[in-house]
Amino acid sequence: QVQLVQSGGGSVQAGGSLRLSCAASGYTGSMFCMGWFRQVSGKERELVASIYTGSGFIVYLDSVTGRFTVSRDNTKNTLYLQMNSLKPEDSAIYYCAARSSGPCWTNEYTYWGQGTQVTVST
């Protein structure tokens, strides 16, 4: 079992920045992939970025490429999502997630964080 606890998020004006954190515990050695998702009420959950935990290879959703950056601190088992140049359309509940096998660019993740709200105002 893997437990994911998120922190960060909040409200910011367009053009601002926020950072999300996702602290993993439990059987973290089983995590082959980690991902950041977001979901707007009434819409499907959307994969924003994924990382292969072994190689560190990262894939981003086109709409966030160049604005969002995934990083990790292996000593703390923590994954981060730095979000810059935020836009109102980035507003959503953001989730971190993990799965024990590839592919990483998929919506089929096993373990989920509790979610955190990000609100970007004009």
Side-chain angles (χ1 to χ4, degrees):
Q1 287 287 341
V2 172
Q3 293 79 44
L4 303 174
V5 178
Q6 297 178 226
S7 59
S11 298
V12 67
Q13 289 190 326
S17 298
L18 288 171
R19 190 177 81 157
L20 307 182
S21 300
C22 176
S25 62
Y27 190 36
T28 57
S30 68
M31 297 190 303
F32 187 83
C33 306
M34 293 193 74
W36 285 101
F37 289 78
R38 64 187 181 188
Q39 187 169 27
V40 176
S41 180
K43 294 188 177 181
E44 290 190 1
R45 195 170 293 182
E46 175 180 56
L47 180 56
V48 173
S50 68
I51 179 171
Y52 287 79
T53 57
S55 66
F57 180 70
I58 301 170
V59 179
Y60 294 97
L61 183 69
D62 284 348
S63 62
V64 307
T65 299
R67 302 188 297 120
F68 289 12
T69 303
V70 172
S71 63
R72 55 182 176 167
D73 183 338
N74 290 334
T75 65
K76 298 180 180 180
N77 281 331
T78 300
L79 187 73
Y80 302 98
L81 180 66
Q82 178 67 43
M83 303 182 291
N84 298 330
S85 300
L86 282 162
K87 304 176 180 180
E89 52 263 42
D90 294 319
S91 297
I93 299 175
Y94 282 71
Y95 298 89
C96 67
R99 58 179 278 142
S100 58
S101 63
C104 296
W105 195 258
T106 174
N107 286 336
E108 301 299 319
Y109 274 66
T110 306
Y111 305 104
W112 293 88
Q114 79 274 21
T116 186
Q117 179 70 49
V118 170
T119 302
V120 185
S121 58
T122 57

